[in-house]
Amino acid sequence: MPVDPKAAKRANFDAYLANVAAGSLEATNKPVQLFLEVSSRCNLRCKKCGFAWDPSLAKNGRDLSWPILARMDEFFAAAVEVYTFGYGEMFLYPELAPLVTVLKNHGCRTSGITNGVLIRPADVVWLVATGYDQLTFSIDGATEATMDKLRGASLAKILHVLELIHAEKERRKSEVPRIVVNFVAQNDNFQELPDLARRLAPLGIYFFGVNPLHHFVVPDAGYAQYYEEFRLSRVARADFEPLVDDARRVLEASGTTFQNFVNPDFEWPAKPAGTDTVALHNRTLPEPPAPAELPTQLATQASETAALAPPAAPEEPSVPAPPVPTNPETGLPLMYCHYPWTTLYLSAAGKARVCCFMSVHEDLGEFTGDANVGAAWNGPQLRSVREHIRDGRVHPACMQCVSHKTYEVHSSAMNPIRTELGLVPAAAPVPEPEPPPAAPEPPEEEGGAVRRFLRRWRAPDSDGAGRPV
């Protein structure tokens, strides 16, 4: 029988589930989801971004060290999804193309966020050729003036990149990378939503999301002033929502999935919130994907299984599920978030965090020098985060997330991973002839596959592969 390339990743996912069920503070699984902040440098200074109001970010920007990545083969082998971005612009990282190739060779689903300004025609070619799965563009206006004011970016240049990607995908008959556009709505740019939708409609956009300005419980003084001046609640809800609906109609007619994440209960509350926590984002948590939404092979398996299954027995009267235990002091459910068991964020500065919702300055353990990624994954700081969550308490590093109920998205965030692993009812496998046994290969030193690839990438006398120009 052929080797199942997803078997090790499924086993790792099962280990995560077992660790959560046991409330284990030591995660014997590896991260299911990795964030690699390949660069903490950025070429833009967007008004709402920390680079604009926190001088230390611009001063201390750096790249994630390649030797660290070269020691992570076992983490890449276990991870299902890897994000190649963080608090910076991913296309500033000089080794991005070889890193993505290594990740795809490990069977990882790859995702990233970019401002789109630095993407060159050669980058478009390798993005499509390597099968980079999902690339998100941040676009906050439909005019050059608005994009220049808010982001210091050229809209024309970004739209040209989107045209190149669309054309290259059509040329190669590829569905990836799926293109996502994030629009951060402020009271001075939401009026441009319908025009932006019309400009994007011919470009094969996969998903379009409207997001609010981020609210910080304890904001930096510089950002607090910006937020109060430009937050959506300074305009009427009746002025905002019709324009969102116009943009939705345009994009949905072109086949784009559209979602408005602005929570009206947060922006325009009917009454003071008091002590109740109101989510910043309006996130409808989707059910696990239906067979029609799965990759072709998995959809076929699910359909065949359904066709072969005997008729379902009449449903028994449902028994109400027992209430989820909560911490009486915080009101939070025990084990309210799974991110510390599934996700690890590695910053370019060599500091570990749980996820991208944590502060850019958070430090839950180092993974440079004599330390390593495994030591950070089960180090004392991350174990403390797990203990707090297991007991329904709030770790200081999680305060912003809990205040906005962002942790509630974890279940839906895992759905693409479940789909990638094929965790759906499968039909009986069709026997195939076994291939002849391969000759055994000598064991490699740690990170050997990564180093070999990088040498080939850089070699001047190679088969034509080289650093994109």
Side-chain angles (χ1 to χ4, degrees):
M1 294 292 292
V3 176
D4 181 357
K6 303 286 187 185
K9 296 181 187 292
R10 288 194 194 93
N12 187 60
F13 192 86
D14 288 342
Y16 133 64
L17 294 175
N19 283 319
V20 166
S24 174
L25 302 186
E26 179 182 0
T28 57
N29 62 290
K30 298 277 190 302
V32 173
Q33 187 180 60
L34 283 169
F35 282 82
L36 302 179
E37 186 182 75
V38 293
S39 181
S40 60
R41 299 178 292 130
C42 192
N43 55 310
L44 302 182
R45 292 295 180 267
C46 304
K47 292 287 185 68
K48 60 185 168 293
C49 179
F51 281 102
W53 42 266
D54 185 345
S56 68
L57 294 178
K59 181 180 178 181
N60 298 320
R62 65 192 76 185
D63 293 344
L64 192 58
S65 168
W66 183 270
I68 291 172
L69 297 170
R71 299 195 298 266
M72 288 186 62
D73 275 355
E74 60 178 336
F75 283 85
F76 297 154
V80 180
E81 185 166 43
V82 180
Y83 292 89
T84 59
F85 81 100
Y87 215 86
E89 171 51 48
M90 59 186 268
F91 282 91
L92 282 171
Y93 188 58
E95 313 288 4
L96 184 60
L99 171 61
V100 170
T101 302
V102 168
L103 294 173
K104 297 309 292 184
N105 286 342
H106 278 291
C108 299
R109 184 179 189 268
T110 48
S111 302
I113 297 180
T114 177
N115 57 49
V117 174
L118 299 178
I119 299 177
R120 303 159 295 181
D123 296 319
V124 171
V125 172
W126 71 252
L127 280 168
V128 180
T130 59
Y132 196 92
D133 293 273
Q134 186 161 295
L135 188 61
T136 299
F137 286 73
S138 299
I139 305 178
D140 294 337
T143 65
E144 289 294 328
T146 298
M147 283 291 285
D148 182 62
K149 180 182 74 169
L150 296 183
R151 303 186 64 83
S154 166
L155 178 62
K157 183 177 289 187
I158 298 168
L159 292 177
H160 179 60
V161 169
L162 291 174
E163 290 168 354
L164 291 177
I165 294 175
H166 186 52
E168 182 68 8
K169 287 166 61 177
E170 288 196 330
R171 187 180 76 84
R172 290 182 177 264
K173 295 181 171 49
S174 173
E175 294 183 2
V176 295
R178 292 189 173 96
I179 301 301
V180 174
V181 173
N182 274 344
F183 182 98
V184 177
Q186 306 180 177
N187 61 35
D188 61 342
N189 74 339
F190 74 91
Q191 301 89 343
E192 297 183 15
L193 268 168
D195 285 342
L196 179 60
R198 282 186 281 272
R199 301 192 74 169
L200 294 175
L203 300 179
I205 306 302
Y206 174 69
F207 183 94
F208 186 97
V210 181
N211 293 273
L213 270 177
H214 194 78
H215 171 265
F216 290 96
V217 177
V218 183
D220 177 274
Y223 181 77
Q225 180 179 353
Y226 185 86
Y227 178 79
E228 287 304 321
E229 183 176 356
F230 293 106
R231 62 182 300 179
L232 274 175
S233 58
R234 290 194 172 273
V235 298
R237 178 178 176 181
D239 292 335
F240 172 71
E241 291 185 338
L243 293 175
V244 172
D245 290 339
D246 287 348
R248 181 193 303 275
R249 280 190 290 271
V250 171
L251 286 168
E252 288 184 346
S254 70
T256 299
T257 299
F258 184 102
Q259 186 153 358
N260 175 19
F261 293 119
V262 175
N263 184 2
D265 292 336
F266 186 92
E267 298 292 340
W268 302 280
K271 59 180 180 179
T275 58
D276 294 336
T277 301
V278 179
L280 174 64
H281 295 91
N282 174 30
R283 296 186 183 272
T284 302
L285 306 185
E287 295 296 320
E293 298 169 327
L294 297 171
T296 304
Q297 181 182 4
L298 298 179
T300 302
Q301 293 174 352
S303 299
E304 289 174 354
T305 303
L308 295 173
E315 291 187 6
E316 297 290 335
S318 59
V319 177
V324 178
T326 60
N327 183 313
E329 295 181 0
T330 65
L332 288 167
L334 307 187
M335 197 66 75
Y336 58 88
C337 176
H338 288 192
Y339 274 116
W341 286 266
T342 64
T343 305
L344 185 65
Y345 184 116
L346 302 177
S347 77
K351 312 292 185 185
R353 302 198 282 275
V354 169
C355 59
C356 64
F357 304 126
M358 285 189 169
S359 165
V360 66
H361 298 296
E362 198 60 61
D363 179 3
L364 295 179
E366 295 189 5
F367 54 89
T368 58
D370 293 334
N372 58 54
V373 175
W377 176 237
N378 275 310
Q381 297 100 317
L382 222 151
R383 289 165 67 99
S384 175
V385 173
R386 293 183 186 127
E387 183 177 23
H388 278 74
I389 288 173
R390 182 195 65 184
D391 299 340
R393 295 181 288 129
V394 182
H395 190 278
C398 302
M399 183 180 67
Q400 294 281 356
C401 174
V402 173
S403 70
H404 293 131
K405 294 188 174 181
T406 311
Y407 60 86
E408 293 181 343
V409 307
H410 183 273
S411 178
S412 61
M414 290 295 106
N415 280 340
I417 289 176
R418 294 186 185 96
T419 300
E420 191 75 16
L421 292 178
L423 298 179
V424 293
V430 178
E432 293 185 12
E434 293 190 18
E441 295 183 359
E444 293 187 324
E445 60 177 338
E446 187 180 18
V450 178
R451 294 193 184 96
R452 279 205 323 276
F453 174 82
L454 192 55
R455 286 197 295 269
R456 289 201 302 270
W457 180 267
R458 290 172 169 161
D461 56 347
S462 67
D463 59 357
R467 195 184 302 271
V469 295

